[in-house]
């Protein structure tokens, strides 16, 4: 693993500015910390500079400007980063389509996603899943009010993601095992 620190720092600053006013769902936690956690997971699991930067920017198109932001990402960080970000985006439409349809489409699109996009996605969903389980321990059932779907549908989605990672992501066995472990924890709380 050899991360281009200069390029990564540029992306870190860009991500911070882009998501400056965004927070995790119904919390006071700046969204930037989720993005940096995802990117850290990628780096710690042997990801490339391109994958780590895509991890920082994986929600930029969806949450911060759609196609205009995608073009900016491509210009600043290259077409490969933009491609991974687009593959990790479940919609670039505002307002967003219904939750269930977006998730079905995302699951279907995973079949043709690049290995880099699947790695970024796995790190994103692992961090989300871990946050859900940990936050449930703190606030119990109040947690479910933050989401656009009931707990059983959320579990269904994270379980389907696991099946897809297991089927389509060729490497990263340790990450997939960790995801499965946290998924089992989630099953206990839904």
């Amino acid at each position: 693993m050899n991360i281009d620190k200069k390029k990564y720092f540029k992306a870190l600053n860009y991500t911070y500015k882009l998501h400056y006013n965004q927070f995790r769902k119904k919390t006071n936690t700046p969204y930037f910390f989720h993005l940096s956690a995802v990117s850290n997971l990628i780096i710690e699991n042997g990801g490339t500079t391109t994958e780590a930067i895509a991890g920082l920017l994986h929600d930029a198109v969806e949450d911060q400007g759609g196609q205009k932001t995608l073009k900016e990402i491509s210009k600043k960080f290259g077409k490969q980063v933009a491609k991974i970000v687009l593959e990790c985006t479940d919609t670039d439409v505002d307002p967003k389509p219904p939750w269930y349809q977006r998730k079905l489409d995302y699951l279907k699109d995973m079949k043709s996603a690049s290995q880099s996009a699947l790695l970024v996605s796995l790190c994103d969903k692992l961090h989300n899943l871990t946050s859900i389980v940990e936050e449930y321990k703190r606030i119990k059932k109040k947690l479910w009010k933050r989401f656009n779907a009931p707990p059983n549908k959320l579990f269904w989605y994270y379980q389907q993601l696991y099946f897809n990672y297991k089927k389509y992501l060729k490497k990263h066995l340790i990450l997939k095992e960790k995801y499965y472990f946290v998924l089992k924890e989630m099953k206990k709380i839904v």
Side-chain angles (χ1 to χ4, degrees), residues 12 17-19 21 26 33 37 48 51 53 80 84-85 94 106 111 126 128 142 162 164 178 183:
L12 199 62
K17 290 173 188 170
L18 194 63
H19 293 273
N21 291 315
K26 299 177 185 170
F33 294 116
T48 65
E51 292 165 341
I53 291 172
Q80 189 58 34
I84 296 167
V85 169
D94 189 25
Y106 187 86
K111 294 174 188 172
L126 174 57
N128 286 341
K142 291 180 199 171
Y162 172 71
N164 280 358
K178 185 172 183 179
L183 183 66

Side-chain angles (χ1 to χ4, degrees), residues 92-132:
D92 63 356
V93 177
D94 189 25
K96 292 179 180 181
W99 181 88
Y100 185 68
Q101 189 58 54
R102 281 185 297 140
K103 302 313 175 192
L104 282 176
D105 291 344
Y106 187 86
L107 291 165
K108 187 181 88 184
D109 291 345
M110 289 175 78
K111 294 174 188 172
S112 59
S114 66
Q115 291 298 296
S116 292
L118 290 170
L119 172 60
V120 172
S121 174
L122 174 57
C123 291
D124 170 34
K125 304 311 184 201
L126 174 57
H127 187 258
N128 286 341
L129 191 56
T130 302
S131 296
I132 288 170

Side-chain angles (χ1 to χ4, degrees), residues 8-169:
Y8 186 81
F9 186 69
K10 179 182 171 188
L12 199 62
N13 283 326
Y14 175 77
T15 303
Y16 180 78
K17 290 173 188 170
L18 194 63
H19 293 273
Y20 184 78
N21 291 315
Q22 187 178 357
F23 295 86
R24 302 254 8 216
K25 286 182 181 178
K26 299 177 185 170
T27 73
N28 293 323
T29 305
Y31 198 72
F32 172 79
F33 294 116
H34 164 66
L35 303 170
S36 60
V38 170
S39 187
N40 288 343
L41 275 172
I42 292 164
I43 293 167
E44 291 168 359
N45 286 277
T48 65
T49 300
T50 297
E51 292 165 341
I53 291 172
L56 288 170
L57 296 168
H58 74 270
D59 279 334
V61 173
E62 191 173 317
D63 295 341
Q64 300 298 328
Q67 288 298 313
K68 180 182 173 194
T69 300
L70 184 63
K71 288 177 187 170
E72 195 172 90
I73 289 168
S74 183
K75 186 176 177 182
K76 287 181 180 288
F77 305 105
K79 289 181 181 177
Q80 189 58 34
V81 169
K83 179 183 181 293
I84 296 167
V85 169
L86 185 59
E87 288 179 288
C88 291
T89 301
D90 76 3
T91 186
D92 63 356
V93 177
D94 189 25
K96 292 179 180 181
W99 181 88
Y100 185 68
Q101 189 58 54
R102 281 185 297 140
K103 302 313 175 192
L104 282 176
D105 291 344
Y106 187 86
L107 291 165
K108 187 181 88 184
D109 291 345
M110 289 175 78
K111 294 174 188 172
S112 59
S114 66
Q115 291 298 296
S116 292
L118 290 170
L119 172 60
V120 172
S121 174
L122 174 57
C123 291
D124 170 34
K125 304 311 184 201
L126 174 57
H127 187 258
N128 286 341
L129 191 56
T130 302
S131 296
I132 288 170
V133 170
E134 289 175 358
E135 192 68 2
Y136 185 86
K137 291 174 183 175
R138 286 190 278 279
I139 65 171
K140 304 294 181 203
K141 292 183 180 185
K142 291 180 199 171
L143 170 72
W144 305 122
K145 294 177 185 175
R146 294 181 186 170
F147 298 98
N148 296 323
N152 64 325
K153 289 284 187 196
L154 286 170
F155 178 77
W156 163 84
Y157 178 57
Y158 282 103
Q159 185 177 49
Q160 296 307 306
L161 287 164
Y162 172 71
F163 295 147
N164 280 358
Y165 296 133
K166 193 173 169 187
K167 187 173 183 179
Y168 302 119
L169 183 59

